[in-house]
Amino acid sequence: MEKPVTIVHKGIAVLIVLLGLMANSARAQEFEVGIQGGASGYMGDLNPENPVAYNDWAAGFMVKYNFDHTWGIRANFTYANIWAADGNSRVAQRRERDLDFFGNIKEASLVADFNFFRWLPQRGRVVYTPYIFAGIAGMQFEPKNYLPSSGEKVKLREMQTEVDTLFNQTGYGKYALAIPFGVGFKYNLRGPWSVGVEVGYRLALTDYLDDVSGVYPNRVPPSDLPSGASAVDWFNLTYRHTPNAVPGSQRGDGRPYDSYMTAGITLSYTIFKGGCPEWR
């Protein structure tokens, strides 16, 4: 089986080829370029129940190829910050666990759009449509925290908080695939300019966006901790306020995947064939 990082690299290569084909066909077909900005959120072991927990920001841009008035395909590049803390939970058990993290996600995706109404800007009339989308994405993620001893930022992946020789001998990488899907609404302002709103969710094919997934490890810290990190730091970030947790007992929520979401305002510019708004 191919490694996730290899799959992601191949996906990015295919994305670049498709962008090249789209650019080469610019004179023959209409396409759009656009930007998006708004809020980001996360669902996972530290937030398993709230799908609208938007608590940080996200931004991105896109290039879209329109097959006709209804169907299109677009490449998106998104940057999203995410974070969560057990201390904010209403569940006493999670507050006692007291884990937290922060980090960012860099995502490249390819999605198909379906417009419910015929989308034809620059016709001298009101043009708008709701739409849905779904596709595939490759992402880079890196959950972080602060070392208790110094306050310095540290990559939790390198702290190996769930790695030991008995329960989990392998860690996780910083690349993974994701399945994006969502809904949106766009409105043609005038000519080639359009604005809209979009809400998108991503099912990440990893359970480590938050560095929490499996069970508590043995109380023996790894020998290759990051520079500046001590065994006490490792124990604090791994066990926090549950020092008596039994190694092998559940640390995460038992679900196989995390997810993240974005919601924001979009601004796009449509490039027409020969200046004509009609698709042939």
Side-chain angles (χ1 to χ4, degrees), residues 68-90:
D68 52 31
H69 308 298
T70 303
W71 287 98
I73 188 169
R74 59 182 161 113
N76 297 302
F77 299 88
T78 303
Y79 178 97
N81 285 318
I82 59 173
W83 69 271
D86 278 340
N88 296 328
S89 175
R90 297 180 180 179

Side-chain angles (χ1 to χ4, degrees), residues 76-156:
N76 297 302
F77 299 88
T78 303
Y79 178 97
N81 285 318
I82 59 173
W83 69 271
D86 278 340
N88 296 328
S89 175
R90 297 180 180 179
V91 180
Q93 184 178 2
R94 290 210 297 273
R95 291 198 304 272
E96 180 183 356
R97 183 180 60 177
D98 199 31
L99 296 175
D100 60 272
F101 83 101
F102 62 90
N104 58 66
I105 294 173
K106 300 172 184 176
E107 173 202 282
S109 65
L110 190 66
V111 302
D113 280 6
F114 175 79
N115 298 324
F116 285 93
F117 305 151
R118 286 168 59 88
W119 179 250
L120 188 58
Q122 207 177 25
R123 292 282 294 182
R125 56 184 172 82
V126 175
V127 178
Y128 60 88
T129 182
Y131 63 92
I132 57 176
F133 65 89
I136 188 73
M139 64 172 180
Q140 176 183 342
F141 66 102
E142 195 72 82
K144 301 175 184 177
N145 212 317
Y146 295 101
L147 291 175
S149 62
S150 64
E152 296 293 325
K153 289 183 182 179
V154 65
K155 297 176 180 178
L156 290 172

Side-chain angles (χ1 to χ4, degrees), residues 7-16 18-19 59-63 74-80 105-111 135-141 175-180 202 260:
I7 297 174
V8 172
H9 286 166
K10 287 184 177 180
I12 293 174
V14 171
L15 193 59
I16 292 173
L18 288 173
L19 286 174
F61 67 93
M62 67 90 175
V63 179
R74 59 182 161 113
N76 297 302
F77 299 88
T78 303
Y79 178 97
I105 294 173
K106 300 172 184 176
E107 173 202 282
S109 65
L110 190 66
V111 302
I136 188 73
M139 64 172 180
Q140 176 183 342
F141 66 102
Y175 297 100
L177 296 177
I179 302 174
R202 283 84 163 171
Y260 58 102

